[in-house]
């Protein structure tokens, strides 16, 4: 059974950092592209970053966020630096259908339940 569990969210000050983790089970992380998405209240789910054959970032997080993975631990990470209030959202990790990093949520088969990130002073 495919399962994704996010952690690491919380409250951060503007300019601060957080590192999100996504522990995968039921499949080998190395075989698939993985992505991070986020959803703020009243807004649609939006793409943040994805790692597969290539690595792709949303323009809004380029230079601030870094996606990485530890295949031995079957875990994916999102290092978030220089956080802004507009980064406040629930962050979700997702497994793609294949190995290509995609920005469309329609290209993802499995989703975690999310972890809340709040950036506020």
């Amino acid at each position: 059974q495919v399962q994704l569990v996010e952690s690491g969210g919380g409250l951060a000050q503007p300019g601060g950092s957080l590192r999100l983790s996504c522990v995968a089970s039921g499949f080998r992380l190395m075989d698939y592209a993985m992505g991070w998405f986020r959803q703020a209240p009243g807004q649609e789910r939006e793409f943040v970053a994805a790692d597969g054959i290539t690595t792709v970032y949303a323009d809004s997080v380029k230079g601030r966020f870094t996606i990485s993975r530890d295949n031995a631990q079957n875990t994916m990470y999102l290092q978030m630096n220089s956080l802004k209030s507009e980064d406040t959202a629930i962050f979700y990790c997702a497994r793609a259908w294949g190995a290509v990093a995609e920005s469309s949520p329609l290209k993802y088969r499995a989703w975690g339940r999310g972890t809340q990130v709040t950036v506020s002073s």
Side-chain angles (χ1 to χ4, degrees):
Q1 181 180 358
V2 174
Q3 189 173 16
L4 300 169
V5 179
E6 304 95 336
S7 63
L11 176 64
Q13 292 189 341
S17 298
L18 285 173
R19 188 175 83 153
L20 306 183
S21 299
C22 172
V23 178
S25 59
F27 68 99
R28 295 196 314 172
L29 198 70
M30 66 173 65
D31 292 336
Y32 295 90
M34 298 291 295
W36 286 98
F37 291 77
R38 65 187 180 187
Q39 188 166 17
Q43 298 186 20
E44 293 188 355
R45 191 167 298 189
E46 68 169 355
F47 170 73
V48 175
D51 179 64
I53 296 173
T54 59
T55 301
V56 184
Y57 293 94
D59 289 342
S60 59
V61 307
K62 277 182 184 176
R64 301 189 298 124
F65 291 9
T66 303
I67 188 172
S68 64
R69 64 170 80 194
D70 182 339
N71 288 329
Q73 297 295 322
N74 235 39
T75 301
M76 179 177 68
Y77 302 98
L78 184 68
Q79 178 67 44
M80 305 186 295
N81 299 327
S82 302
L83 284 164
K84 305 175 181 179
S85 58
E86 51 262 45
D87 294 318
T88 296
I90 299 174
F91 281 70
Y92 300 89
C93 69
R95 195 200 86 176
W97 285 95
V100 177
E102 303 275 6
S103 60
S104 168
L106 298 177
K107 300 291 187 178
Y108 289 81
R109 177 190 181 276
W111 294 81
R113 294 189 175 184
T115 184
Q116 175 71 49
V117 171
T118 302
V119 183
S120 174
S121 56

